Amino acid sequence: MATILKHAVPKSEVAASLDQVRETVTGVIADIRARGDEAVRAYSEKFDKWSPDSFRLTDEEVEKIVASVPQQVIDDIRFVQEQVRTFARHQLDSLREFEVETLPGVRLGQKHIPVQAAGAYIPGGRYPLTASAHMTIVTAKVAGVPRVVACTPPIHGEIPAATVAAMHLAGADEIWLLGGVQAVAAMSVGTDTMRPVNLIAGPGNAYVAEAKRQLFGEVGIDLFAGPTEILVLADEQADPFVCAVDLLSQAEHGPDSPAVLITTSRELAEKTIAEVERLLPGMPTRDFAEPAWRDHGQVHVVDTHDELYTLADAFAFEHVEVLTAEPRLALERMTQYGALFLGEGTCVSFGDKVIGTNHVLPTRGAARYTGGLWVGKYLKTVTYQEVTDTDSQALLGRLCGRAARVELFEGHARSGDLRAAKAAGDELPWNTP
């Protein structure tokens, strides 16, 4: 039985906010469909105070921007991208193409084809999220995507040089200084100056997530990646200071970012709450972290580790940090999460920024049915078939005829009959003059 020491705001309030987001996004997408580049420019000016002659950076502009970035930053970007690239290559190696002969002369195969154009959305606004460039662009290039369009917004009317450098070093084929719904819509439906892509990937705020939701089907998406979530699982041996620091590390993403603690120790829960309240006033990002903790923070106390993992799975959160005596038990006990971070030495921020696994992860319960962005999201797994043996053609043709007629599909049946007739001389009673 769980005891809740801290509640979040009612879900009805969150739903009302999402309704407003949905209405705004619907209008923006409709306008961009109708007016194209003109609408894109208007929304960029409205939301980002940004309206250059061209939103796409030229090669010369990119080179100049990259040259302005300190060498240490460039070195760090290269190092982290190599971690992401290495992990993505291992993922690619785990995917197998094959061809198998299931009957004489019957060959069935599977192959992986990269999408031909992907859009990478790299959030900006307040923070220059260079890491999202690594996650979306590097992974796409490992998958073999030939055209990657990367969009990021300006920050207070300025070019985010480090983000541009990360996009360039990751291998982006086109770099656009464009953000928000207007970027996602332009990449999805296309304009006079931007050719549309086949798939959109990358995290973003509630408006970006809603734009991806509304455009899904017309364009593929990686997943619905809304406000960042962190769930910390802890027992009596955990350090409340560590719990508090790590909860706030994700709360600073935005005022709607849930930060939740589930613990078997009431003492740890109370100490963690006290530590959060002590640390918050001094945080440079307090304006985001404080409302996130106030409105979306939760603390639950449970009696047993069984309850701990059961409740954790019910949350199905994006990030789950396991600060228990035996953290690897979570690998056996949990089934619904975006990514696990096992033990005190492994913080969620490692996954966000440097360790190499992808940080584009499912939120708002989507971990119930999907994992995060990975190299396979950029690949289409397709099949092919070939029948060259006449005995097998006859066998399958007769079987197809019988199976199709059970379902009242006469056209299908005749297609099978015809193969049996050509391979083995079967009669076609329906083929009368």
Side-chain angles (χ1 to χ4, degrees):
M1 193 72 173
T3 300
I4 304 177
L5 299 190
K6 186 184 184 308
H7 291 266
V9 296
K11 290 184 177 180
S12 58
E13 292 186 26
V14 177
S17 175
L18 290 176
D19 286 341
Q20 295 176 355
V21 170
R22 188 172 298 116
E23 183 178 347
T24 298
V25 170
T26 299
V28 172
I29 291 175
D31 195 13
I32 290 174
R33 286 189 192 280
R35 297 194 296 135
D37 286 323
E38 181 183 356
V40 169
R41 183 169 296 279
Y43 289 114
S44 180
E45 174 64 33
K46 177 180 179 180
F47 296 127
D48 292 323
K49 304 295 186 290
W50 184 253
S51 184
D53 291 339
S54 173
F55 291 103
R56 181 177 176 179
L57 296 176
T58 64
D59 291 344
E60 293 75 20
E61 288 172 325
V62 171
E63 289 178 7
K64 183 177 179 181
I65 293 167
V66 173
S68 73
V69 178
Q71 187 60 47
Q72 184 64 64
V73 174
I74 295 293
D75 291 344
D76 289 346
I77 288 172
R78 290 186 186 278
F79 178 86
V80 175
Q81 288 187 350
E82 188 55 32
Q83 310 316 300
V84 175
R85 188 174 293 109
T86 296
F87 191 73
R89 284 172 175 161
H90 281 291
Q91 289 182 324
L92 185 62
D93 289 343
S94 75
L95 298 170
R96 189 169 68 89
E97 294 187 348
F98 65 86
E99 182 175 285
V100 60
E101 188 172 24
T102 57
L103 293 169
V106 177
R107 284 173 286 277
L108 309 181
Q110 169 179 292
K111 63 182 299 185
H112 307 294
I113 302 175
V115 298
Q116 294 302 288
Y121 186 76
I122 293 87
R126 174 171 181 164
Y127 302 125
L129 295 183
T130 58
S132 289
H134 319 330
M135 308 301 174
T136 53
I137 302 168
V138 169
T139 309
K141 284 301 181 181
V142 171
V145 178
R147 174 176 171 248
V148 177
V149 179
C151 288
T152 196
I155 298 180
H156 305 304
E158 299 292 333
I159 295 173
T163 304
V164 172
M167 296 158 86
H168 172 67
L169 294 172
D173 299 287
E174 301 174 23
I175 296 177
W176 297 68
L177 289 181
L178 188 63
V181 177
Q182 58 271 25
V184 174
M187 289 190 287
S188 300
V189 306
T191 70
D192 288 341
T193 58
M194 182 188 290
R195 289 181 292 134
V197 300
N198 308 126
L199 181 143
I200 300 286
N205 62 17
Y207 292 92
V208 168
E210 176 61 20
K212 288 167 68 177
R213 189 190 70 81
Q214 291 191 22
L215 289 161
F216 176 55
E218 183 170 355
V219 67
I221 64 170
D222 51 353
L223 51 98
F224 300 115
T228 290
E229 304 165 341
I230 181 172
L231 175 61
V232 174
L233 307 182
D235 55 21
E236 66 282 352
Q237 61 81 48
D239 183 343
F241 179 60
V242 172
C243 294
V245 168
D246 290 352
L247 287 166
L248 291 176
S249 75
Q250 299 301 300
E252 74 176 357
H253 272 278
D256 53 356
S257 291
V260 178
L261 170 68
I262 305 175
T263 178
T264 55
S265 168
R266 186 182 185 96
E267 179 182 3
L268 179 118
E270 292 172 345
K271 287 183 176 180
T272 298
I273 292 172
E275 288 285 1
V276 169
E277 299 300 332
R278 180 179 70 83
L279 292 167
L280 261 175
M283 283 192 72
T285 51
R286 175 183 177 183
D287 56 337
F288 276 3
E290 188 169 55
W293 175 250
R294 181 191 66 223
D295 297 338
H296 303 283
Q298 298 181 49
V299 177
H300 298 253
V301 180
V302 296
D303 294 328
T304 67
H305 282 78
D306 285 343
E307 292 178 78
L308 183 84
Y309 293 123
T310 298
L311 183 56
D313 260 352
F315 272 93
F317 257 24
E318 177 187 21
H319 305 107
V320 180
E321 188 170 292
V322 187
L323 304 179
T324 61
E326 298 181 81
R328 291 185 68 87
L329 280 178
L331 289 169
E332 302 173 15
R333 303 296 301 278
M334 291 189 65
T335 60
Q336 299 188 158
Y337 54 86
L340 284 179
F341 300 82
L342 303 175
E344 187 180 282
T346 319
C347 59
V348 170
S349 296
F350 281 178
D352 280 348
K353 306 299 182 186
V354 297
I355 206 167
T357 49
N358 209 292
H359 79 191
V360 182
L361 299 166
T363 65
R364 290 183 175 152
R368 293 176 293 109
Y369 59 82
T370 187
L373 179 60
W374 70 297
V375 73
K377 290 283 187 178
Y378 294 100
L379 299 171
K380 300 173 291 181
T381 300
V382 299
T383 60
Y384 60 91
Q385 307 83 39
E386 182 181 35
V387 184
T388 57
D389 182 85
T390 54
D391 289 342
S392 292
Q393 289 170 359
L395 171 66
L396 292 172
R398 293 162 187 155
L399 177 60
C400 180
R402 296 193 300 271
R405 288 187 174 96
V406 169
E407 297 177 345
L408 306 182
F409 274 88
E410 181 61 25
H412 285 64
R414 291 181 178 187
S415 187
D417 294 346
L418 180 57
R419 269 60 192 182
K422 283 185 168 288
D426 288 21
E427 295 183 0
L428 299 176
W430 45 265
N431 186 32
T432 55

